[in-house]
Amino acid sequence: MKLQQLRYLRAIARHNLNISEAAQHLHTSQPGISKQVRLLEEELGVPLFHRSGKHLTDMTDVGKKILHYGEKILQDVDNIRAAADEACDDQNGELRIATTHSQARYVLPPIIDHFKTRFPGVRVQIHQGSPPQVGGMLAHGEADFVIGTDPIAHSGQMVLLPAYRWYHCVVVPRDHVLAKEGAITLERLAEFPIVTYLDGFTGRTKLDADFKRAGLTPEIVLTAADADVIKTYVRHGMGVGIIAHVALEPGYDDDLVALNTHPAFSPNITRIGFRRGAWLRGYMFEFIAMLAPHLGAEQVARAARDPDAPAVQKLLTQIKLPTRGPSRSSVRA
Amino acid sequence: MKLQQLRYLRAIARHNLNISEAAQHLHTSQPGISKQVRLLEEELGVPLFHRSGKHLTDMTDVGKKILHYGEKILQDVDNIRAAADEACDDQNGELRIATTHSQARYVLPPIIDHFKTRFPGVRVQIHQGSPPQVGGMLAHGEADFVIGTDPIAHSGQMVLLPAYRWYHCVVVPRDHVLAKEGAITLERLAEFPIVTYLDGFTGRTKLDADFKRAGLTPEIVLTAADADVIKTYVRHGMGVGIIAHVALEPGYDDDLVALNTHPAFSPNITRIGFRRGAWLRGYMFEFIAMLAPHLGAEQVARAARDPDAPAVQKLLTQIKLPTRGPSRSSVRA
DNA sequence: TATAGTTACGTTTATCGTAAGTATC
DNA sequence: GATACTTACGATAAACGTAACTATA
């Protein structure tokens, strides 16, 4: 058994059992992969794939088990590489973040700014996508971290730590009738056409639940994946916007008024996740601390090693989480 | 990076940083290992060992981290092998048990007997040793299971499940003065010279605690690692024996009388352990069930996958454990 | 001086890429 | 007929073992 055979196996599985595609992706020849797969099957004495003639139709049950261990092995190989890189140089490297629009656009810029000043030698990549997409990037090892609010595909392979709490707020143009009212009720809010996030984005799930609990069915006239689009339509008078408070930019959004509701919307929790058992480099710990100061290096390291340990569970539930933007008690921005 | 390099690294670490010894153990040449280590260090760009001239004196910090991931990798390689073997044949294989004398001598024989009838194709190995030794065998992958009572070196790599509960009992020759008394108190017992287990063997820790709690310091005139020796000295009138009740063999020990104490000795729990994340073969699940019928295949499989899961923790603490031998309520054998 | 690790070298094996062949869709 | 996997083959490279060398304890 060789590590490359496992890499080939993984690549085939990730490319819909298409060996040619996998070969292309690995910059190698298709017969080479074909042969190594046969060799591995021969060595282990079991077929890894169901075949119809010369086409791979599906993986066998054993194949799936073997792939599972193979992926673990390849992750640990990456861990060894990362540990070695870390040892010879803790200032240079890569930081790959998979995240949603809200974070990439409003929350991360000042943090990345700070990070780049502190670690100029680290190349930072920000991959943007929907919650399911960013979860997939993490699982496939294309990103080191995922940052997001909405339920991210939480396979047992992922460790998710709470980063901060935030609230939705209502935004209207300065001349809107609501702009003159104080904290508004959900009932009052539901009288207006609403512009807000797409389902599954930026806490939309919580919003819907809040309205449902109040027995209201607001008229949502437009939904978008990001607050920039929402704000634009609010400016055009399409309706009342509901966005994350962190999505308001002082200096740019002064033509809008932000209002809280009474009772307040439910809090949302944005989390940062990484692969279970991943080797985190020094600058990664510092990045986490910049995003969420309560997540110290030792605690995060423990969570990476053993996310189910009681001490980590305690961290997940009992921690005093910082709030970004105004808290529920403040009424008006 | 190659799997063999990791095997070499592990072998060196396990042979006191002696490359020649490691080479001998792996049936390969010493220069071969030497070279592969250099190549790995070169590829990773970090030294794995501290050297004084040409001798390895210690592992570097990175080296230890890398070794840690290397061992995980090699275990998963074994898991792949086992999964493949399982798939092509679930009747043949190996069952390697590391255990202490008490289990090997009194508890396991009928179970192994039953197992061999059910799985004649499985080669069974029983490695006997002290509790620390058997823990080491498991950690080094020389055994699939460890079975024992006393605190076994419980690294995070090991999953320990409770198998059964048992009690100590007092044994004396038929003509001994105690043989005529009913349940005897600890105070009465402490009037006699005691023959029992060595420290660290077969629940000796619990025994000492029981006496200490009663404010007694019995005169222990002889200690041995196994009950056969203890019984022999009891027959010779050296003193009163305290052994595990399971160590009494009907038909062979009828010249001895077993007595319980009042209050009873504390219960002991014998556990079965295996490596975390190990791939368990079908016959291994059945073996566990033969030893401890309450440990079903699904529960054990879940414990192997994720020993810290809440459901597994519940299994560890809340389970109704079977008792081997008379329970604390029965007074006299 | 004995033990242990490195360097040097030749053999053998295996991996990879190109090119031709063959079976599905 | 187009796409996709397999077989065949040659070049390159890497791993292994033997033997000679060197440094430590």
Side-chain angles (χ1 to χ4, degrees):
Chain A
M1 189 184 319
K2 281 153 208 91
L3 289 173
Q4 289 159 1
Q5 294 173 328
L6 298 177
R7 281 191 204 100
Y8 290 168
L9 184 64
R10 181 177 67 176
I12 294 173
R14 287 188 181 175
H15 288 85
N16 300 312
L17 308 181
N18 184 323
I19 298 188
S20 304
E21 220 177 277
Q24 212 166 346
H25 189 254
L26 293 175
H27 308 291
T28 184
S29 73
Q30 177 270 319
I33 296 192
S34 238
K35 181 163 194 185
Q36 290 306 319
V37 169
R38 301 309 278 236
L39 282 174
L40 183 59
E41 288 182 317
E42 214 172 284
E43 177 183 343
L44 296 175
V46 290
L48 299 172
F49 298 98
H50 292 297
R51 295 172 166 81
S52 92
K54 301 202 162 187
H55 286 246
L56 307 184
T57 57
D58 198 4
M59 293 195 75
T60 60
D61 286 345
V62 223
K64 287 174 189 163
K65 283 174 194 160
I66 289 171
L67 174 63
H68 168 249
Y69 288 113
E71 297 203 320
K72 273 184 69 184
I73 288 173
L74 294 172
Q75 185 187 330
D76 284 329
V77 168
D78 286 343
N79 287 342
I80 286 179
R81 290 236 150 75
D85 290 350
E86 168 85 7
C88 57
D89 177 9
D90 64 350
Q91 292 299 313
N92 292 299
E94 252 186 351
L95 178 68
R96 303 168 304 164
I97 303 165
T99 187
T100 53
H101 175 87
S102 304
Q103 313 301 322
R105 170 77 174 76
Y106 300 107
V107 179
L108 291 183
I111 294 170
I112 299 296
D113 217 44
H114 183 201
F115 181 85
K116 285 296 287 184
T117 319
R118 172 72 185 77
F119 298 99
V122 176
R123 287 182 303 281
V124 178
Q125 296 177 13
I126 297 190
H127 301 280
Q128 190 183 320
S130 68
Q133 281 175 332
V134 296
M137 287 185 208
L138 189 79
H140 284 57
E142 295 159 12
D144 302 306
F145 292 104
V146 58
I147 304 174
T149 303
D150 290 271
I152 300 169
H154 188 187
S155 73
Q157 302 306 319
M158 192 186 294
V159 184
L160 272 180
L161 301 177
Y164 61 88
R165 184 189 290 112
W166 57 268
Y167 291 89
H168 285 102
C169 69
V170 176
V171 287
V172 291
R174 288 217 161 272
D175 55 4
H176 193 277
V177 57
L178 279 182
K180 293 163 200 74
E181 304 184 13
I184 55 179
T185 62
L186 289 183
E187 284 76 11
R188 175 76 172 131
L189 182 57
E191 293 170 14
F192 296 86
I194 304 286
V195 184
T196 190
Y197 297 102
L198 274 169
D199 206 15
F201 281 77
T202 319
R204 169 69 191 274
T205 321
K206 288 273 179 104
L207 273 184
D208 289 348
D210 283 344
F211 279 113
K212 189 173 181 190
R213 196 177 312 115
L216 299 167
T217 51
E219 184 200 2
I220 295 176
V221 293
L222 198 144
T223 57
D226 66 76
D228 282 325
V229 176
I230 297 172
K231 286 185 285 188
T232 302
Y233 284 97
V234 168
R235 288 188 171 102
H236 281 70
M238 288 281 293
V240 173
I242 305 179
I243 61 175
H245 212 301
V246 291
L248 282 171
E249 286 185 295
Y252 294 93
D253 294 330
D254 295 342
D255 55 332
L256 298 176
V257 178
L259 307 157
N260 278 2
T261 57
H262 185 82
F265 289 124
S266 300
N268 286 276
I269 293 178
T270 292
R271 294 181 165 82
I272 180 163
F274 45 88
R275 283 187 304 285
R276 175 177 185 158
W279 167 261
L280 301 183
R281 301 196 44 177
Y283 58 77
M284 293 179 177
F285 287 115
E286 298 223 27
F287 169 74
I288 295 177
M290 290 177 189
L291 174 74
H294 61 288
L295 294 176
E298 321 90 71
Q299 294 174 306
V300 175
R302 187 182 309 152
R305 264 184 279 122
D306 186 3
D308 303 304
V312 176
Q313 292 301 319
K314 198 174 161 186
L315 177 71
L316 289 179
T317 53
Q318 298 177 12
I319 206 157
K320 182 103 177 69
L321 213 54
T323 299
R324 272 181 193 265
S327 75
R328 63 196 311 168
S329 59
S330 75
V331 172
R332 191 160 178 168
Chain B
M1 188 184 319
K2 282 153 208 90
L3 289 173
Q4 289 161 2
Q5 294 174 327
L6 298 177
R7 281 191 205 101
Y8 290 169
L9 185 63
R10 180 177 67 175
I12 294 173
R14 288 187 180 176
H15 288 85
N16 300 311
L17 309 181
N18 184 322
I19 297 187
S20 303
E21 219 176 277
Q24 212 166 344
H25 189 254
L26 293 175
H27 308 292
T28 185
S29 73
Q30 177 270 320
I33 296 192
S34 239
K35 182 166 193 184
Q36 290 307 318
V37 168
R38 301 308 280 235
L39 282 175
L40 183 58
E41 287 182 316
E42 214 172 285
E43 178 183 342
L44 296 175
V46 290
L48 299 173
F49 297 98
H50 292 297
R51 295 173 167 81
S52 93
K54 300 200 163 189
H55 285 247
L56 307 184
T57 56
D58 198 4
M59 293 196 74
T60 61
D61 286 345
V62 224
K64 287 174 189 163
K65 283 175 195 159
I66 289 171
L67 174 63
H68 168 248
Y69 287 114
E71 297 204 319
K72 273 184 68 184
I73 289 172
L74 294 172
Q75 184 187 332
D76 284 329
V77 169
D78 286 343
N79 286 342
I80 286 179
R81 290 235 151 77
D85 290 349
E86 168 85 6
C88 56
D89 177 9
D90 64 348
Q91 292 299 316
N92 292 298
E94 250 185 353
L95 178 68
R96 302 168 305 164
I97 303 164
T99 187
T100 53
H101 175 87
S102 304
Q103 313 301 321
R105 170 77 173 76
Y106 299 107
V107 179
L108 291 183
I111 295 170
I112 298 297
D113 217 44
H114 183 200
F115 181 85
K116 285 296 288 185
T117 318
R118 172 73 185 77
F119 297 101
V122 175
R123 286 182 302 282
V124 177
Q125 296 176 14
I126 297 190
H127 301 280
Q128 189 182 319
S130 69
Q133 282 175 332
V134 296
M137 288 185 208
L138 190 80
H140 284 57
E142 295 159 12
D144 303 305
F145 291 104
V146 59
I147 303 174
T149 303
D150 291 270
I152 300 170
H154 189 186
S155 73
Q157 302 307 317
M158 191 186 295
V159 184
L160 270 181
L161 301 177
Y164 61 89
R165 184 189 290 114
W166 57 268
Y167 292 87
H168 285 103
C169 69
V170 175
V171 287
V172 291
R174 288 217 161 270
D175 55 2
H176 193 277
V177 57
L178 279 181
K180 293 161 200 74
E181 304 184 13
I184 54 179
T185 62
L186 289 183
E187 283 76 11
R188 177 74 172 132
L189 182 57
E191 293 170 14
F192 296 85
I194 305 285
V195 184
T196 189
Y197 296 103
L198 273 170
D199 206 14
F201 281 77
T202 319
R204 169 70 190 274
T205 320
K206 287 272 178 104
L207 273 185
D208 289 347
D210 283 343
F211 278 113
K212 189 173 180 191
R213 196 178 313 115
L216 299 168
T217 50
E219 184 200 1
I220 295 176
V221 293
L222 198 145
T223 56
D226 66 76
D228 282 325
V229 176
I230 297 173
K231 285 186 284 188
T232 302
Y233 283 97
V234 167
R235 288 188 172 104
H236 281 71
M238 288 281 294
V240 173
I242 305 180
I243 60 175
H245 211 302
V246 290
L248 281 172
E249 286 184 296
Y252 293 94
D253 294 330
D254 295 343
D255 55 332
L256 298 176
V257 178
L259 306 158
N260 279 2
T261 57
H262 186 80
F265 290 122
S266 300
N268 286 275
I269 293 177
T270 292
R271 294 182 166 82
I272 181 163
F274 44 89
R275 283 186 304 286
R276 176 175 185 158
W279 167 261
L280 300 184
R281 302 195 45 177
Y283 58 76
M284 294 179 177
F285 288 114
E286 298 222 27
F287 169 73
I288 295 178
M290 289 176 190
L291 175 74
H294 62 287
L295 295 176
E298 321 90 72
Q299 294 173 305
V300 175
R302 187 182 308 151
R305 266 184 278 120
D306 186 3
D308 304 304
V312 176
Q313 292 300 319
K314 198 174 161 187
L315 176 72
L316 289 179
T317 53
Q318 298 178 12
I319 206 158
K320 183 103 176 68
L321 212 55
T323 299
R324 271 181 194 265
S327 74
R328 64 195 311 169
S329 59
S330 75
V331 171
R332 190 160 179 168

